[in-house]
Amino acid sequence: MRLSGTGTAADNPSRGTPADDPMHRPRAVDGRAPDVMRRGEWVPMRQFRDEEEVDFVIVGTGAGGGTLACRLAEHGFTVAALDAGPYWRPLEDFASDEMHQSKLYWTDERIVDGENPLQMGSNNSGKSVGGSTVHYAMVALRFRPEWFKSRTLLGYGADWPLDWREMWSYYDQVEDDLKISGPVTYPWGPKRPRYRYRAHELNAAAKVLARGAEAMGIDWTPTPLATVSAPRGDSPPCVYRGFCTVGCSTNAKQSVLVTYLPRALAAGAEIRDLAMVGRIETKDGRATGVHYFRDGRWRFQRARNVVVAGYAIETPRLLLMSANREFPDGLANSSGLVGKNLIVQGNQAVWGDFEEEIRSYKGPPSLAVTEHWNYEDRGKDFHGGYCYMSQGPLPTLWGSTQAGAHGLWGEALVSEMQRYNHVAGLKIVSEYLAQERNRVTLSDETDQYGLPIPRITYSWCDNDKALNRHGLDFMGQALAAAGGRNIWEQGDDTNHLYGTARMGHDSKTSVVNGDCRSWDIPNLWVCDGSVFPTTGGVNPSLTIQAIALRTADRIRAMARGGDRRDA
Amino acid sequence: MPMPSSRAPHLRERHRSSADAAGGVVPPTLRRASPLCLELPGHPVATLALAAAGAGLLTWLAAGRSKRAGPASQGGRQALPDRGRSYGSRGAEVTASAAQRLNHASSMLAASVLFDSGLEHYRGQFFNRAMYTPIVVSSITLASSLHGAGDTDPGSSRVRHAAQALAGLTGLVGFGFHAWNVGKREGGYSFQNLFYAAPIGAPMALTLAGILGVVAERVRDADPDAPELAGLPAGKVLALATAGMLLGTTAEAGLLHFRGAFQNPAMLLPVTLPPLGAAALALAATRAPGASQTEAKAAMWAVSAMGIIGVAFHAYGVARMMGGWGNWRQNLIDGPPLPAPPSFSGVALGGLAALELLERHRSRF
Ligand SMILES: Cc1cc2nc3c(=O)[nH]c(=O)nc-3n(C[C@H](O)[C@H](O)[C@H](O)COP(=O)(O)OP(=O)(O)OC[C@H]3O[C@@H](n4cnc5c(N)ncnc54)[C@H](O)[C@@H]3O)c2cc1C
Ligand code: SF4
């Protein structure tokens, strides 16, 4: 037996395996997968032959796919989870270097258009075993209960086919699985169980948010985060270096890569890295498996069920690419809604200078948050809600923000960069509305796999613009009240992707039902951010993971009910 | 003589640890704390250590002098073993032994405070000059207590008495400082600030050391046949007082272990065992004087042992920080504090002294 935290759990790689290049050579082969918590070590992995019909093949191992793979395997199903990205060993592969770490992002070619074309890549999509959670900012907020019935209760958006109380019990499970570090009491919403770990210490940027909120007379709280504030197994507590959004090299971050996936392996799931799925095969109205590219050739994995969990661009892309004679408009697309209703969230910011040193990049980027405008409906001239958080941009990101969004160059840019240590900002995560014109379609061009490149069309509606204005005004006042000077607005940023395979109550207005099962093909499922019909004003992962846990339980329940062939 | 090349790896090491420093400014002192640094004698921390050691030494010498200078205050009677009938020699033996035991207790607490405040205030970069105070005062207390611990003579020392009183007072002032530091932060007296601002209960350990040290002198002075404190039976008063101190120390450990989410089940020990010990002490105080206190004594020994074993657990906690002991310069500061748990042992030794007085005979363990 080895004691947690002893031995090889350390930063600063010194040992490497020659010719081990995770971006070009799969690591999860020969019956073993990397032990992500220990340098140079492996864990055993069950493997399936392509001809073997597994119960579930899952496309994507991120917040949705990875969590689902774990629970399905723990429920006793055979699972093969495929991801186009590499199988990282965070202790060895992650450098404290923003440019180098762009290797975590999905940077395959994509075409963007519309009135407000989206910026794709670092801010919204990952390509790694563990998905975007490998480089996410770990903010773990629950939905406001009313949002699950926002059409009925709040008068906009859509009602979810899920009950908030049931969802809250799954939130609780995710928070336990990830040992979320959060405040002792949470200021908003119904009472929730205590976070498993205590909140992290605030950095100066978070204190700016706190001061601003107190001056504006609204509540604030230390942010519930998926990085541990005390040791957990081989995860050391966070060391507050703030490299979270380019990958955490200590494993303090409770990404899917270091939480659900090791559990999935232990429960007998197979994880295939560098395995790009290009097409889902169907026969007689049912999915039969997936074509995937690995080790330089196309292969076919047979499966009783296929789950697509590639996030809100790649999921509809795969469903559309899989069009065949049986389903000429793409799979699960009888409603015509696959790829439509792409929703993002506002991510505008206000920035200002402070007399004192702030060094906002120390620690996880968003250590304090206010959900005031998620729970307060009065005084709004728009539908929806938002929260805002403190920020900690790393230097390269900050430089490009200054050169891009702020439009500085030359002398002005240099002098602004010299104030880097004195800058603090507030950044919104806001709720935009679903619009059918915002969508993912296939272009005529092809990518490195010979697959059609997705085209991503996006425009704000008037409601979105009104929300932006409200948020920027309020945050600007709060920042000034906290002592900020030379305040400027970053008005164009967005993040998070949703809606392109929305769930709903019937097959005409949605792609999947409340169990994430497609209306059209009974053994085809979608389990990721794409199923959200509305977004609420909080970050998505916790909800994606709660839905994945629920889906796994529903599948087991259906299988027990004798529906085994379908589930 | 280290050559530039032989120092290079250390430079890199240093860089790493300072880049990892939590929450802000790279401590300038950290960079100079390398064992290879030749300017070490001039280092502020070294100066501080020298000052603290010097103050301790002076206290030691003065305590000895004041003893020799004649009978202590309040007409304290010097023990004249095997002679005279005005006071029972057995009683004198008990008070002297209890006093020594109390000095052991306050030594333990003072040492815990010395190293803990040293570490934590170093971590806080002695941001405020007042942060030097507990280090100097706890050194004085430690010296005074050690001096008393070696003093088998049942007479008090004025210097020791004064030094202990100073410690008691300093702890209270420190408590005030820490409470102010917590309250001024965003969010005020919230859990968040109780976790991460100056630890509110920590300075009280110095007060406890002072109280136990003062009591040691008072017990030396008391009538050996019916020792009293503030007009009440000394054994009872001390038993109840140490029970209260155990509960206070439990509260402090409980707060900080709650911050650590009781992630290791062993973290529950210091919030369960000491309250049981406190209950045993309170129960002991209700028994007839002279009754045997075996269970309560066992409880006190258990709590003392826990305080020492706690250091080992904290050392394991340091190993579980990023980089473990290999990164000790960072992790000794940010990990669970090694010197903290023995404060339980200190209070428990005080409890043993109380039990000795209650039993009215010297315990030999
Ligand atoms: C910088 C950043 C910060 C973020 N911060 C937060 C935050 O603080 N809190 C929060 O809740 N959320 C945050 N998010 C969002 C969050 O990470 C995502 O919403 C979430 O991970 C989405 O989960 P998913 O399962 O839908 O997709 P992902 O986690 O992105 O997983 C999709 C996976 O599928 C794989 N894949 C896609 N297509 C294929 C294919 N055809 N074949 C094989 N594999 C495929 C991809 O490689 C990827 O690994 C952040 C995101 C980013 C980029
Ligand atoms: S700040 Fe904490 S969570 Fe972020 S990368 Fe560093 S150790 Fe990981």
Side-chain angles (χ1 to χ4, degrees):
Chain A
M1 198 195 91
R2 268 173 86 168
L3 287 176
S4 298
T6 61
T8 52
D11 197 6
N12 198 8
S14 54
R15 282 191 276 147
T17 315
D20 174 31
D21 176 0
M23 297 185 75
H24 295 103
R25 229 195 249 195
R27 274 178 171 164
V29 290
D30 303 330
R32 62 182 199 174
D35 180 344
V36 290
M37 309 307 284
R38 300 260 161 112
R39 286 200 264 154
E41 295 189 17
W42 301 87
V43 291
M45 181 179 75
R46 179 171 177 189
Q47 279 184 290
F48 301 97
R49 283 171 294 111
D50 282 343
E51 316 75 58
E52 228 173 310
E53 192 178 45
V54 293
D55 289 332
F56 286 88
V57 65
I58 301 180
V59 184
T61 57
T67 309
L68 183 70
C70 167
R71 290 305 286 160
L72 285 177
E74 288 177 344
H75 287 340
F77 296 101
T78 52
V79 174
L82 279 53
D83 203 294
Y87 210 134
W88 303 113
R89 291 177 174 275
L91 299 175
E92 297 168 50
D93 299 331
F94 290 177
S96 300
D97 183 307
E98 285 174 86
M99 302 314 283
H100 177 82
Q101 287 301 112
S102 62
K103 67 186 183 183
L104 303 183
Y105 311 142
W106 189 290
T107 48
D108 293 7
E109 218 172 321
R110 286 157 161 179
I111 297 168
V112 291
D113 60 9
E115 288 160 29
N116 308 94
L118 299 178
Q119 196 185 321
M120 301 300 299
S122 65
N123 61 329
N124 53 21
S125 24
K127 186 183 200 174
S128 302
V129 170
S132 306
T133 68
V134 175
H135 62 106
Y136 81 151
M138 312 169 296
V139 176
L141 302 177
R142 295 182 176 200
F143 256 44
R144 173 182 168 184
E146 286 87 339
W147 290 338
F148 289 105
K149 288 258 174 302
S150 77
R151 167 60 58 196
T152 312
L153 297 177
L154 302 168
Y156 68 89
D159 288 352
W160 290 55
L162 300 176
D163 180 71
W164 77 268
R165 277 174 238 98
E166 191 189 8
M167 285 300 291
W168 273 53
S169 78
Y170 283 107
Y171 279 136
D172 194 34
Q173 202 176 325
V174 184
E175 286 169 0
D176 188 40
D177 287 344
L178 304 184
K179 296 284 180 264
I180 301 293
S181 299
V184 176
T185 47
Y186 199 72
W188 305 279
K191 203 170 144 42
R192 58 184 71 182
R194 174 157 302 152
Y195 287 107
R196 301 309 189 275
Y197 276 42
R198 303 292 81 79
H200 294 272
E201 187 171 5
L202 301 182
N203 63 7
K207 288 178 182 166
V208 165
L209 181 141
R211 283 205 302 279
E214 282 171 8
M216 301 292 283
I218 63 170
D219 282 332
W220 64 275
T221 182
T223 312
L225 291 174
T227 172
V228 285
S229 59
R232 176 196 190 192
D234 277 335
S235 289
C238 173
V239 299
Y240 306 112
R241 277 181 67 214
F243 276 87
C244 324
T245 52
V246 293
C248 173
S249 63
T250 71
N251 282 335
K253 175 193 277 195
Q254 302 296 293
S255 67
V256 169
L257 176 64
V258 307
T259 55
Y260 285 109
L261 292 182
R263 275 171 59 182
L265 290 171
E270 177 183 352
I271 294 164
R272 270 177 227 167
D273 51 344
L274 301 183
M276 173 70 185
V277 176
R279 184 180 181 81
I280 301 165
E281 198 59 55
T282 68
K283 190 167 179 236
D284 303 331
R286 299 180 62 86
T288 55
V290 297
H291 295 276
Y292 68 102
F293 189 82
R294 195 188 196 204
D295 258 343
R297 65 190 177 92
W298 283 98
R299 298 156 53 162
F300 181 72
Q301 174 67 50
R302 294 183 59 212
R304 285 189 201 96
N305 292 274
V306 174
V307 183
V308 189
Y311 211 9
I313 307 299
E314 294 307 315
T315 288
R317 179 187 180 210
L318 181 58
L319 294 175
L320 295 174
M321 287 192 303
S322 302
N324 54 25
R325 201 150 344 127
E326 224 177 333
F327 298 101
D329 301 324
L331 305 189
N333 199 18
S334 66
S335 62
L337 289 175
V338 168
K340 287 191 183 157
N341 292 305
L342 171 67
I343 323 174
V344 298
Q345 290 185 300
N347 204 202
Q348 289 84 6
V350 294
W351 302 98
D353 293 351
F354 287 78
E355 190 77 61
E356 70 274 20
E357 234 178 31
I358 300 286
R359 294 178 182 258
S360 68
Y361 45 85
K362 287 284 181 188
S366 301
L367 283 162
V369 63
T370 174
E371 276 207 70
H372 176 80
W373 289 109
N374 274 337
Y375 286 84
E376 177 58 80
D377 296 321
R378 290 164 301 176
K380 285 179 183 165
D381 54 354
F382 57 89
H383 287 307
Y386 65 82
C387 65
Y388 67 80
M389 299 163 206
S390 57
Q391 282 300 300
L394 291 172
T396 310
L397 174 63
W398 185 239
S400 55
T401 304
Q402 289 294 355
H406 204 189
L408 302 184
W409 199 246
E411 192 77 25
L413 178 59
V414 170
S415 89
E416 186 63 38
M417 284 308 285
Q418 273 161 353
R419 300 206 45 79
Y420 177 45
N421 279 338
H422 289 260
V423 168
L426 303 172
K427 209 160 203 203
I428 199 170
V429 170
S430 66
E431 178 170 20
Y432 288 154
L433 298 188
Q435 305 172 60
E436 286 202 7
R437 64 173 174 154
N438 290 336
R439 58 189 300 194
V440 177
T441 48
L442 300 180
S443 70
D444 299 332
E445 297 176 49
T446 55
D447 68 3
Q448 71 267 39
Y449 305 102
L451 301 169
I453 290 172
R455 174 189 298 275
I456 301 160
T457 309
Y458 191 80
S459 313
W460 278 325
C461 64
D462 290 341
N463 189 75
D464 300 342
K465 290 176 190 162
L467 184 152
N468 290 346
R469 199 57 261 151
H470 188 280
L472 285 168
D473 288 346
F474 191 86
M475 291 191 296
Q477 287 167 31
L479 197 63
R485 300 166 311 188
N486 304 323
I487 294 175
W488 65 276
E489 295 177 350
Q490 180 186 357
D492 65 347
D493 220 6
T494 64
N495 63 358
H496 307 149
L497 307 162
Y498 307 88
T500 47
R502 55 172 20 202
M503 67 163 62
H505 290 93
D506 71 82
S507 59
K508 299 214 170 39
T509 56
S510 58
V511 178
V512 297
N513 67 15
D515 297 335
C516 292
R517 186 183 210 164
S518 75
W519 292 109
D520 300 348
I521 303 177
N523 65 342
L524 178 65
W525 314 71
V526 177
C527 187
D528 62 11
S530 328
V531 302
F532 285 47
T534 61
T535 71
V538 295
N539 316 49
S541 301
L542 196 72
T543 305
I544 296 176
Q545 293 185 289
I547 291 173
L549 293 184
R550 180 183 182 277
T551 303
D553 285 355
R554 289 290 303 144
I555 286 172
R556 176 175 61 172
M558 285 184 261
R560 282 195 178 146
D563 210 0
R564 175 103 198 177
R565 209 182 118 71
D566 287 345
Chain B
M1 182 63 209
M3 302 301 288
S5 60
S6 70
R7 293 190 57 161
H10 292 273
L11 283 169
R12 204 189 58 212
E13 277 291 296
R14 250 179 273 155
H15 176 75
R16 180 152 68 91
S17 66
S18 50
D20 288 343
V25 194
V26 176
T29 45
L30 245 184
R31 242 178 287 131
R32 294 172 56 189
S34 157
L36 271 181
C37 255
L38 295 177
E39 66 270 31
L40 195 66
H43 191 280
V45 171
T47 316
L48 179 61
L50 275 178
L57 192 65
L58 285 177
T59 313
W60 178 282
L61 294 175
R65 279 187 67 83
S66 81
K67 284 288 296 192
R68 276 197 296 279
S73 59
Q74 300 143 14
R77 288 165 290 182
Q78 302 282 330
L80 302 166
D82 309 327
R83 193 148 69 80
R85 300 173 41 83
S86 55
Y87 29 76
S89 63
R90 196 172 104 101
E93 202 182 287
V94 170
T95 45
S97 156
Q100 279 181 285
R101 184 85 72 197
L102 284 164
N103 283 133
H104 291 151
S106 76
S107 310
M108 193 74 123
L109 278 161
S112 169
V113 172
L114 174 62
F115 293 112
D116 200 33
S117 68
L119 198 68
E120 296 290 334
H121 287 183
Y122 172 68
R123 177 177 195 238
Q125 298 175 260
F126 297 100
F127 171 77
N128 185 324
R129 272 173 198 282
M131 291 163 83
Y132 292 114
T133 319
I135 296 165
V136 176
V137 174
S138 60
S139 306
I140 292 175
T141 316
L142 180 60
S144 147
S145 299
L146 285 175
H147 186 270
D151 188 354
T152 49
D153 193 35
S156 71
S157 147
R158 218 173 314 155
V159 169
R160 290 203 306 251
H161 194 280
Q164 303 291 1
L166 173 73
L169 218 61
T170 310
L172 283 180
V173 173
F175 174 75
F177 259 114
H178 282 207
W180 168 74
N181 182 288
V182 173
K184 74 171 179 178
R185 301 210 178 186
E186 293 79 1
Y189 290 94
S190 58
F191 265 114
Q192 185 73 13
N193 290 336
L194 286 171
F195 290 154
Y196 295 113
I200 195 156
M204 290 305 282
L206 191 52
T207 299
L208 300 191
I211 292 176
L212 293 175
V214 165
V215 171
E217 300 307 314
R218 291 275 166 86
V219 166
R220 281 194 163 90
D221 263 355
D223 176 352
D225 291 325
E228 290 191 342
L229 287 170
L232 296 165
K236 271 192 182 157
V237 176
L238 193 56
L240 292 176
T242 44
M245 293 176 181
L246 273 182
L247 292 181
T249 313
T250 302
E252 164 89 353
L255 178 73
L256 295 178
H257 284 191
F258 179 50
R259 177 179 92 183
F262 293 99
Q263 50 88 15
N264 185 323
M267 294 166 83
L268 289 165
L269 259 181
V271 296
T272 46
L273 195 54
L276 289 177
L281 278 176
L283 206 66
T286 64
R287 298 233 179 115
S292 153
Q293 305 282 10
T294 322
E295 308 82 18
K297 282 201 282 193
M300 286 309 103
W301 284 114
V303 173
S304 313
M306 183 203 78
I308 304 299
I309 297 167
V311 178
F313 271 109
H314 280 201
Y316 174 53
V318 169
R320 294 185 69 189
M321 306 288 289
M322 200 271 286
W325 275 93
N327 191 15
W328 60 270
R329 261 170 293 185
Q330 180 77 29
N331 291 339
L332 277 184
I333 293 174
D334 282 342
L338 294 186
S343 58
F344 274 111
S345 313
V347 177
L349 289 178
L352 274 178
L355 295 171
E356 229 174 293
L357 289 171
L358 281 174
E359 281 190 326
R360 310 273 314 122
H361 64 76
R362 198 173 169 170
S363 46
R364 299 183 194 279
F365 265 94

